[in-house]
Amino acid sequence: MRAYLYDNLDTDCREPHEQNPSVPVSVEELEASGVLYWRLKDENFEDQIDKICADRNYKNRDQITVSKQGLGELFDAKIKTFFAEHLHEDEEIRAILEGTGYFDIRDKQDRWVRIKVEAGDLIVLPAGIYHRFTLDSNNYLKAMRLFKEDPVWTPLNRPCDEYPYRKAYLNVIEAN
Ligand code: KMT
Ligand code: NI
């Protein structure tokens, strides 16, 4: 995982979009926005996930392969939905199993922070944070999705500042 400020250029979102010079964003800064991160080691991969699930009460899981082959005829529509700025009522928890991709989140100052993820990264985006996802030029990412009960991943596109999940998120973040 590596995080940095997005350059806001209007080119292909699969490009790195890193500023020059780069402006890195630390794990601590991500935490201030409510984003959690774990690096999973290759050995006992499942055990580490099981522990995080037990600690955080994630009871269920499934897998998604974000690729042309994995999503079939839904690919173009899904990719578009993922990259529209949105939030969810629930946390978005992803353990990256294979491949690479970018989660972009809005920081406290409403700037885009790009988080490059790869196999072995586990990331939690809190409920109510504005974010988006894109593949990079490798066009392939396989992830485990973790969730507490039934997942509510319906994307609520910005603006949805009046939703209780958004307000609750801002209240938590303000305290950080
Ligand atoms: C979402 O809601 O933003 C996603 O599920 C992103 C794709 S999962 C790698
Ligand atoms: Ni999302």
Side-chain angles (χ1 to χ4, degrees):
M1 188 281 282
R2 210 166 63 75
Y4 52 83
L5 287 189
Y6 193 77
D7 66 8
N8 291 318
L9 295 181
D10 211 10
T11 51
D12 186 348
C13 58
R14 292 166 206 238
E15 290 172 11
H17 286 274
E18 191 159 359
Q19 296 182 25
N20 184 16
S22 178
V23 185
V25 174
S26 66
V27 171
E28 292 71 28
E29 287 172 283
L30 291 177
E31 271 173 19
S33 299
V35 175
L36 304 178
Y37 170 74
W38 288 266
R39 176 73 201 165
L40 306 175
K41 297 179 201 80
D42 284 344
E43 61 271 21
N44 313 116
F45 188 83
E46 291 280 338
D47 293 347
Q48 296 164 75
I49 291 187
D50 288 348
K51 179 163 187 331
I52 291 168
C53 288
D55 289 349
R56 296 185 62 80
N57 210 18
Y58 303 148
K59 294 189 211 77
N60 298 308
R61 57 181 79 174
D62 69 3
Q63 287 186 18
I64 182 171
T65 301
V66 187
S67 69
K68 260 206 161 104
Q69 212 192 4
L71 295 174
E73 59 186 22
L74 295 175
F75 180 75
D76 288 341
K78 281 280 180 199
I79 285 292
K80 220 174 176 175
T81 310
F82 289 157
F83 201 64
E85 182 173 1
H86 65 272
L87 57 74
H88 306 282
E89 297 178 16
D90 282 342
E91 292 175 328
E92 183 167 318
I93 311 145
R94 302 288 184 263
I96 313 305
L97 304 176
E98 294 171 9
T100 44
Y102 298 120
F103 287 94
D104 294 339
I105 61 115
R106 291 282 191 184
D107 72 3
K108 285 174 90 165
Q109 290 127 281
D110 212 29
R111 300 174 300 186
W112 278 123
V113 173
R114 174 150 280 197
I115 307 170
K116 180 176 176 62
V117 293
E118 60 183 355
D121 289 334
L122 193 158
I123 190 165
V124 178
L125 306 186
I129 194 172
Y130 282 123
H131 68 279
R132 62 189 182 188
F133 170 83
T134 178
L135 291 171
D136 61 21
S137 53
N138 295 320
N139 287 312
Y140 181 82
L141 178 131
K142 185 172 167 186
M144 186 183 286
R145 304 191 288 193
L146 306 167
F147 39 98
K148 287 181 175 151
E149 310 287 347
D150 289 330
V152 185
W153 287 319
T154 315
L156 303 167
N157 283 355
R158 193 170 185 174
C160 43
D161 296 329
E162 296 313 312
Y163 282 80
Y165 323 97
R166 179 65 186 166
K167 290 189 168 161
Y169 169 74
L170 289 176
N171 282 337
V172 170
I173 288 313
E174 209 178 331
N176 285 347

